[in-house]
Amino acid sequence: RAGPRRWLLTPFIEEGGATVLFAPGGSCKSFLALAMAMTVASGVDLVGSSHVKPMPVLYLDWETEAPEHARRYQALRAGVGMEQEPPVFYKRMRTALPGVADRLAREIAKKGVGLVVIDSLGKARGGEPESAEVTLNTFNAIDQLRCTAICVDHLSKEAMRQTKGRLAPF
């Protein structure tokens, strides 16, 4: 893209595309993604700095169940003394993203969502992460959402072994 970067959340999330947050399992990626989502939804700088008007966020979760998400959300709110609940809409997902992107795009438009969290990209793909076709179909589905996205992805122990510890999401 030509011109200066436009940040949704400086210096982590650029407007209009997909950002991938990846690291080994158990390194608090989901918690960090939720803190970023709450920053965008509330305008309170939990992580990074938001320079846009607060906007709703849709958190699509293929990893955990609603009670665990709610526990993390409440812990973050309590940790910064946030009285108001920012509009972070949670949705437990069980179907691969390419199969539901059209329906989600309508929901995103209806709710005025400005950021979508995809947790986790591996399960959202619905296929082998090594497959270029599966990955391209998933990112095409993310484009269909017409919304900035942050994708949480983790590296398996096997992927770490094959790359000799070098971190790479694909």
mmCIF file of all heavy atoms in Angstrom, residues 58-76:
data_model
loop_
_atom_site.group_PDB
_atom_site.id
_atom_site.type_symbol
_atom_site.label_atom_id
_atom_site.label_comp_id
_atom_site.label_asym_id
_atom_site.label_seq_id
_atom_site.Cartn_x
_atom_site.Cartn_y
_atom_site.Cartn_z
ATOM 1 N N LEU A 58 -15.719 -8.074 17.221
ATOM 2 C CA LEU A 58 -16.288 -9.426 17.210
ATOM 3 C C LEU A 58 -15.159 -10.406 17.467
ATOM 4 O O LEU A 58 -14.174 -10.436 16.722
ATOM 5 C CB LEU A 58 -16.962 -9.719 15.872
ATOM 6 C CG LEU A 58 -17.593 -11.106 15.721
ATOM 7 C CD1 LEU A 58 -18.694 -11.338 16.764
ATOM 8 C CD2 LEU A 58 -18.151 -11.276 14.303
ATOM 9 N N TYR A 59 -15.264 -11.191 18.539
ATOM 10 C CA TYR A 59 -14.246 -12.168 18.925
ATOM 11 C C TYR A 59 -14.762 -13.545 18.525
ATOM 12 O O TYR A 59 -15.697 -14.077 19.130
ATOM 13 C CB TYR A 59 -14.004 -12.095 20.432
ATOM 14 C CG TYR A 59 -12.721 -12.749 20.871
ATOM 15 C CD1 TYR A 59 -11.636 -11.978 21.260
ATOM 16 C CD2 TYR A 59 -12.581 -14.134 20.902
ATOM 17 C CE1 TYR A 59 -10.437 -12.566 21.673
ATOM 18 C CE2 TYR A 59 -11.398 -14.728 21.305
ATOM 19 C CZ TYR A 59 -10.335 -13.943 21.685
ATOM 20 O OH TYR A 59 -9.156 -14.522 22.080
ATOM 21 N N LEU A 60 -14.159 -14.120 17.479
ATOM 22 C CA LEU A 60 -14.536 -15.441 16.978
ATOM 23 C C LEU A 60 -13.582 -16.463 17.591
ATOM 24 O O LEU A 60 -12.379 -16.407 17.350
ATOM 25 C CB LEU A 60 -14.444 -15.475 15.457
ATOM 26 C CG LEU A 60 -15.271 -14.428 14.716
ATOM 27 C CD1 LEU A 60 -14.983 -14.478 13.216
ATOM 28 C CD2 LEU A 60 -16.755 -14.617 14.998
ATOM 29 N N ASP A 61 -14.107 -17.381 18.378
ATOM 30 C CA ASP A 61 -13.275 -18.263 19.192
ATOM 31 C C ASP A 61 -13.465 -19.730 18.819
ATOM 32 O O ASP A 61 -14.517 -20.305 19.073
ATOM 33 C CB ASP A 61 -13.617 -18.042 20.664
ATOM 34 C CG ASP A 61 -12.606 -18.638 21.611
ATOM 35 O OD1 ASP A 61 -11.746 -19.419 21.163
ATOM 36 O OD2 ASP A 61 -12.685 -18.320 22.802
ATOM 37 N N TRP A 62 -12.441 -20.317 18.223
ATOM 38 C CA TRP A 62 -12.424 -21.744 17.905
ATOM 39 C C TRP A 62 -11.706 -22.529 18.997
ATOM 40 O O TRP A 62 -11.629 -23.739 18.920
ATOM 41 C CB TRP A 62 -11.705 -21.984 16.566
ATOM 42 C CG TRP A 62 -12.524 -21.736 15.352
ATOM 43 C CD1 TRP A 62 -13.225 -22.679 14.631
ATOM 44 C CD2 TRP A 62 -12.721 -20.504 14.667
ATOM 45 N NE1 TRP A 62 -13.834 -22.082 13.566
ATOM 46 C CE2 TRP A 62 -13.545 -20.745 13.558
ATOM 47 C CE3 TRP A 62 -12.284 -19.199 14.894
ATOM 48 C CZ2 TRP A 62 -13.938 -19.754 12.673
ATOM 49 C CZ3 TRP A 62 -12.673 -18.198 14.016
ATOM 50 C CH2 TRP A 62 -13.492 -18.489 12.920
ATOM 51 N N GLU A 63 -11.141 -21.855 19.983
ATOM 52 C CA GLU A 63 -10.255 -22.502 20.957
ATOM 53 C C GLU A 63 -10.915 -22.799 22.302
ATOM 54 O O GLU A 63 -10.749 -23.876 22.836
ATOM 55 C CB GLU A 63 -9.029 -21.612 21.210
ATOM 56 C CG GLU A 63 -8.044 -21.602 20.081
ATOM 57 C CD GLU A 63 -7.241 -22.887 19.981
ATOM 58 O OE1 GLU A 63 -6.757 -23.386 21.009
ATOM 59 O OE2 GLU A 63 -7.106 -23.386 18.862
ATOM 60 N N THR A 64 -11.553 -21.808 22.897
ATOM 61 C CA THR A 64 -12.051 -21.967 24.270
ATOM 62 C C THR A 64 -13.560 -21.834 24.301
ATOM 63 O O THR A 64 -14.196 -21.541 23.301
ATOM 64 C CB THR A 64 -11.428 -20.911 25.206
ATOM 65 O OG1 THR A 64 -11.788 -19.616 24.734
ATOM 66 C CG2 THR A 64 -9.923 -21.023 25.266
ATOM 67 N N GLU A 65 -14.116 -21.999 25.451
ATOM 68 C CA GLU A 65 -15.563 -21.862 25.644
ATOM 69 C C GLU A 65 -15.867 -20.502 26.263
ATOM 70 O O GLU A 65 -14.989 -19.835 26.805
ATOM 71 C CB GLU A 65 -16.086 -22.988 26.540
ATOM 72 C CG GLU A 65 -15.885 -24.381 25.962
ATOM 73 C CD GLU A 65 -16.668 -24.637 24.673
ATOM 74 O OE1 GLU A 65 -17.746 -24.040 24.479
ATOM 75 O OE2 GLU A 65 -16.191 -25.446 23.852
ATOM 76 N N ALA A 66 -17.116 -20.108 26.193
ATOM 77 C CA ALA A 66 -17.561 -18.794 26.664
ATOM 78 C C ALA A 66 -17.168 -18.497 28.117
ATOM 79 O O ALA A 66 -16.749 -17.369 28.410
ATOM 80 C CB ALA A 66 -19.066 -18.648 26.472
ATOM 81 N N PRO A 67 -17.278 -19.432 29.062
ATOM 82 C CA PRO A 67 -16.910 -19.090 30.448
ATOM 83 C C PRO A 67 -15.449 -18.655 30.592
ATOM 84 O O PRO A 67 -15.148 -17.740 31.358
ATOM 85 C CB PRO A 67 -17.188 -20.375 31.229
ATOM 86 C CG PRO A 67 -18.228 -21.093 30.428
ATOM 87 C CD PRO A 67 -17.899 -20.780 28.996
ATOM 88 N N GLU A 68 -14.535 -19.295 29.870
ATOM 89 C CA GLU A 68 -13.127 -18.912 29.961
ATOM 90 C C GLU A 68 -12.907 -17.531 29.347
ATOM 91 O O GLU A 68 -12.172 -16.708 29.888
ATOM 92 C CB GLU A 68 -12.232 -19.942 29.258
ATOM 93 C CG GLU A 68 -10.765 -19.578 29.238
ATOM 94 C CD GLU A 68 -10.125 -19.412 30.609
ATOM 95 O OE1 GLU A 68 -10.688 -19.886 31.622
ATOM 96 O OE2 GLU A 68 -9.041 -18.789 30.684
ATOM 97 N N HIS A 69 -13.559 -17.264 28.228
ATOM 98 C CA HIS A 69 -13.470 -15.936 27.612
ATOM 99 C C HIS A 69 -13.989 -14.875 28.589
ATOM 100 O O HIS A 69 -13.354 -13.844 28.781
ATOM 101 C CB HIS A 69 -14.259 -15.894 26.305
ATOM 102 C CG HIS A 69 -14.340 -14.539 25.716
ATOM 103 N ND1 HIS A 69 -13.338 -13.992 24.944
ATOM 104 C CD2 HIS A 69 -15.310 -13.594 25.792
ATOM 105 C CE1 HIS A 69 -13.679 -12.776 24.573
ATOM 106 N NE2 HIS A 69 -14.863 -12.512 25.072
ATOM 107 N N ALA A 70 -15.130 -15.140 29.218
ATOM 108 C CA ALA A 70 -15.724 -14.188 30.161
ATOM 109 C C ALA A 70 -14.802 -13.954 31.354
ATOM 110 O O ALA A 70 -14.667 -12.817 31.828
ATOM 111 C CB ALA A 70 -17.083 -14.702 30.632
ATOM 112 N N ARG A 71 -14.133 -15.003 31.833
ATOM 113 C CA ARG A 71 -13.203 -14.864 32.959
ATOM 114 C C ARG A 71 -12.047 -13.935 32.580
ATOM 115 O O ARG A 71 -11.692 -13.032 33.335
ATOM 116 C CB ARG A 71 -12.665 -16.237 33.367
ATOM 117 C CG ARG A 71 -11.777 -16.203 34.608
ATOM 118 C CD ARG A 71 -11.053 -17.522 34.844
ATOM 119 N NE ARG A 71 -10.041 -17.804 33.838
ATOM 120 C CZ ARG A 71 -8.852 -17.187 33.744
ATOM 121 N NH1 ARG A 71 -8.525 -16.244 34.606
ATOM 122 N NH2 ARG A 71 -7.995 -17.509 32.795
ATOM 123 N N ARG A 72 -11.506 -14.122 31.402
ATOM 124 C CA ARG A 72 -10.397 -13.273 30.944
ATOM 125 C C ARG A 72 -10.860 -11.829 30.761
ATOM 126 O O ARG A 72 -10.157 -10.888 31.142
ATOM 127 C CB ARG A 72 -9.849 -13.805 29.617
ATOM 128 C CG ARG A 72 -9.165 -15.136 29.737
ATOM 129 C CD ARG A 72 -8.806 -15.680 28.375
ATOM 130 N NE ARG A 72 -8.169 -16.992 28.474
ATOM 131 C CZ ARG A 72 -7.830 -17.732 27.438
ATOM 132 N NH1 ARG A 72 -8.050 -17.299 26.204
ATOM 133 N NH2 ARG A 72 -7.263 -18.902 27.622
ATOM 134 N N TYR A 73 -12.024 -11.672 30.169
ATOM 135 C CA TYR A 73 -12.587 -10.335 29.927
ATOM 136 C C TYR A 73 -12.770 -9.594 31.250
ATOM 137 O O TYR A 73 -12.383 -8.429 31.384
ATOM 138 C CB TYR A 73 -13.914 -10.516 29.180
ATOM 139 C CG TYR A 73 -14.689 -9.275 28.864
ATOM 140 C CD1 TYR A 73 -14.401 -8.528 27.726
ATOM 141 C CD2 TYR A 73 -15.751 -8.865 29.670
ATOM 142 C CE1 TYR A 73 -15.144 -7.400 27.405
ATOM 143 C CE2 TYR A 73 -16.492 -7.747 29.358
ATOM 144 C CZ TYR A 73 -16.184 -7.014 28.224
ATOM 145 O OH TYR A 73 -16.918 -5.901 27.921
ATOM 146 N N GLN A 74 -13.353 -10.254 32.232
ATOM 147 C CA GLN A 74 -13.584 -9.622 33.539
ATOM 148 C C GLN A 74 -12.262 -9.329 34.255
ATOM 149 O O GLN A 74 -12.119 -8.296 34.910
ATOM 150 C CB GLN A 74 -14.496 -10.487 34.409
ATOM 151 C CG GLN A 74 -15.913 -10.616 33.884
ATOM 152 C CD GLN A 74 -16.600 -9.285 33.632
ATOM 153 O OE1 GLN A 74 -16.347 -8.278 34.286
ATOM 154 N NE2 GLN A 74 -17.492 -9.260 32.640
ATOM 155 N N ALA A 75 -11.266 -10.212 34.122
ATOM 156 C CA ALA A 75 -9.962 -9.981 34.748
ATOM 157 C C ALA A 75 -9.293 -8.748 34.151
ATOM 158 O O ALA A 75 -8.725 -7.924 34.882
ATOM 159 C CB ALA A 75 -9.073 -11.207 34.575
ATOM 160 N N LEU A 76 -9.369 -8.599 32.838
ATOM 161 C CA LEU A 76 -8.787 -7.416 32.200
ATOM 162 C C LEU A 76 -9.528 -6.147 32.630
ATOM 163 O O LEU A 76 -8.895 -5.134 32.933
ATOM 164 C CB LEU A 76 -8.821 -7.556 30.671
ATOM 165 C CG LEU A 76 -7.762 -8.486 30.091
ATOM 166 C CD1 LEU A 76 -8.084 -8.814 28.635
ATOM 167 C CD2 LEU A 76 -6.376 -7.875 30.213
#
